[in-house]
Amino acid sequence: MRRILVIGAAGQIGSELVPALRKKYGNENVIATGRKTPLPDVIKETGPVIYLDAIDKERLAQALFEYDINTIFHMASILSATGEKMPQIAWDININGLINVLEAGRSYNVDRIIWPSSIAAFGPTTPRDNTPNTTILQPTTIYGISKVAGELLAEYYYKKYKLDVRSMRLPGIISSETLPGGGTTDYAVEIFYEAIKHKNYTCFLREDTILPMMYQPDCLKCMIDLLEADNSRLKRRVYNVTGMSFSAGEIASEIKKYIPEFSIEYKPDFRQEIADSWPRSIDDSLARQEWDWNPSYDLISMTKDMIQTLSKRLK
Ligand code: AKB
């Protein structure tokens, strides 16, 4: 039986991952943790919730012991744009938090840890189209540097201590429940809220900026599929995954099909340089081969679903 600790349950992914995990593994078996951001009611009302800062080693160890945890989703992270504003704090939370989770996991016989990496692990020297799983990793953001270090730690703990850490390089995640915070791909979520509420949006990236993205239902499936993947088939700890790739201009055109009066202007800021250092599209064939990764949503089906879901909610 899985006893799961979700660190960072209030975030864009965590807030929907906890309900998905509770549905599959039972409400009492999924312990949601938060720090500063309040947890959504649906999480507080359906199962155990605790305060936890992953930087606090003792509190982390206590949580693993008290709740008899054997599986951890470590979702807490400072994203790319915020990281550039406070690089030392980003390093502390992203790396020291991860090392604490790995060390506690090793001491308390945790048998699986899922920790997402990101397309931010790539950099300007990486091939930008159909980026392979194994390639040049020379990121230029502190977030990306922390992801590369984390990927190497995942491989290291697996080899040295047999700790079963698994990771996927997430692209931008598009979701309708919780807004992302502090990322470069956040525009692809904000654009829907602004289009529905105000019929216009000022985009912080150029119109022709193409980035890899994934819709939340595919992201949740990705988390659970990698958790459950048969270890004998996995030939590495870290996998490329993707759902779709589009430019800012292309998503705006797709939204206009539903909201014809929608207008967009482009005012690139410091996040443009970050976006320009990341791949345009991702080769995720190894994830498909080794654990049957198979996303469902493309730009057309994702836009339709986002517009329907958010229009209902925001009205
Ligand atoms: C960000 O934009 O920083 C994140 C990511 C791609 O990891 N969404």
Side-chain angles (χ1 to χ4, degrees):
M1 189 184 58
R2 290 211 178 279
R3 296 279 300 161
I4 306 175
L5 189 75
V6 180
I7 302 172
Q12 184 198 13
I13 301 174
S15 61
E16 291 190 66
L17 179 63
V18 170
L21 292 173
R22 284 188 177 156
K23 195 167 164 214
K24 186 165 168 70
Y25 301 101
N27 288 349
E28 290 310 308
N29 293 322
V30 180
I31 292 81
T33 86
R35 197 170 63 99
K36 274 192 191 152
T37 316
L39 292 167
D41 288 346
V42 58
I43 291 187
K44 287 193 286 195
E45 286 159 10
T46 54
V49 161
I50 55 170
Y51 172 89
L52 182 71
D53 183 347
I55 297 296
D56 182 345
K57 282 186 204 165
E58 277 173 20
R59 187 78 191 87
L60 179 60
Q62 197 186 348
L64 298 189
F65 178 76
E66 276 176 15
Y67 288 91
D68 206 11
I69 299 296
N70 54 28
T71 305
I72 303 176
F73 279 84
H74 181 36
M75 310 300 295
S77 176
I78 300 279
L79 300 185
S80 57
T82 305
E84 290 314 289
K85 292 184 182 150
M86 39 186 209
Q88 292 79 6
I89 294 176
W91 179 262
D92 190 32
I93 292 185
N94 294 2
I95 285 299
N96 294 332
L98 175 61
I99 290 181
N100 286 349
V101 169
L102 295 172
E103 277 299 299
R106 178 163 88 83
S107 313
Y108 285 86
N109 294 322
V110 165
D111 61 33
R112 208 148 294 173
I113 296 177
I114 301 290
W115 167 79
S117 182
S118 160
I119 54 162
F122 303 119
T125 51
T126 308
R128 291 191 70 200
D129 295 302
N130 216 16
T131 304
N133 215 96
T134 304
T135 185
I136 303 164
L137 299 176
Q138 292 179 324
T140 46
T141 60
I142 194 71
Y143 174 62
I145 295 168
S146 74
K147 289 300 185 189
V148 174
E151 289 186 5
L152 295 172
L153 284 169
E155 298 282 356
Y156 182 80
Y157 271 73
Y158 183 66
K159 188 164 159 271
K160 193 162 178 83
Y161 303 115
K162 305 264 170 301
L163 185 63
D164 190 346
V165 191
R166 303 178 178 191
S167 182
M168 64 292 274
R169 292 187 181 126
L170 291 180
I173 302 300
I174 301 167
S175 65
S176 55
E177 290 304 309
T178 306
L179 279 163
T184 302
T185 57
D186 294 8
Y187 93 87
V189 183
E190 290 169 11
I191 194 171
F192 283 101
Y193 281 79
E194 296 307 309
I196 292 167
K197 285 200 284 197
H198 303 119
K199 316 275 181 254
N200 63 62
Y201 178 59
T202 304
C203 184
F204 57 76
L205 298 181
R206 272 193 330 265
E207 183 174 5
D208 63 353
T209 310
I210 300 176
L211 286 169
M213 301 277 176
M214 187 186 290
Y215 195 32
Q216 183 81 302
D218 280 331
C219 175
L220 302 178
K221 182 170 122 61
C222 177
M223 297 274 149
I224 295 174
D225 285 358
L226 185 54
L227 171 69
E228 293 299 344
D230 174 357
N231 201 36
S232 65
R233 288 180 63 197
L234 305 184
K235 300 196 173 56
R236 67 212 79 240
R237 296 289 104 196
V238 182
Y239 288 89
N240 278 4
V241 288
T242 190
M244 61 194 93
S245 276
F246 54 76
S247 69
E250 281 165 340
I251 191 174
S253 306
E254 200 53 40
I255 291 173
K256 269 189 206 166
K257 291 185 186 162
Y258 299 87
I259 308 172
E261 63 276 41
F262 174 56
S263 68
I264 180 161
E265 56 176 334
Y266 299 92
K267 287 198 180 150
D269 66 14
F270 73 101
R271 289 168 281 194
Q272 185 65 52
E273 194 184 332
I274 302 177
D276 288 341
S277 76
W278 290 352
R280 284 183 285 252
S281 61
I282 298 288
D283 171 5
D284 60 4
S285 51
L286 292 178
R288 289 171 187 265
Q289 272 164 40
E290 294 177 23
W291 46 280
D292 307 321
W293 163 241
N294 188 14
S296 302
Y297 286 87
D298 59 12
L299 174 61
I300 294 172
S301 50
M302 176 277 290
T303 306
K304 184 170 180 220
D305 202 63
M306 276 294 280
I307 299 268
Q308 276 172 356
T309 312
L310 276 184
S311 303
K312 266 190 227 143
R313 263 242 326 279
L314 299 176
K315 270 170 198 160

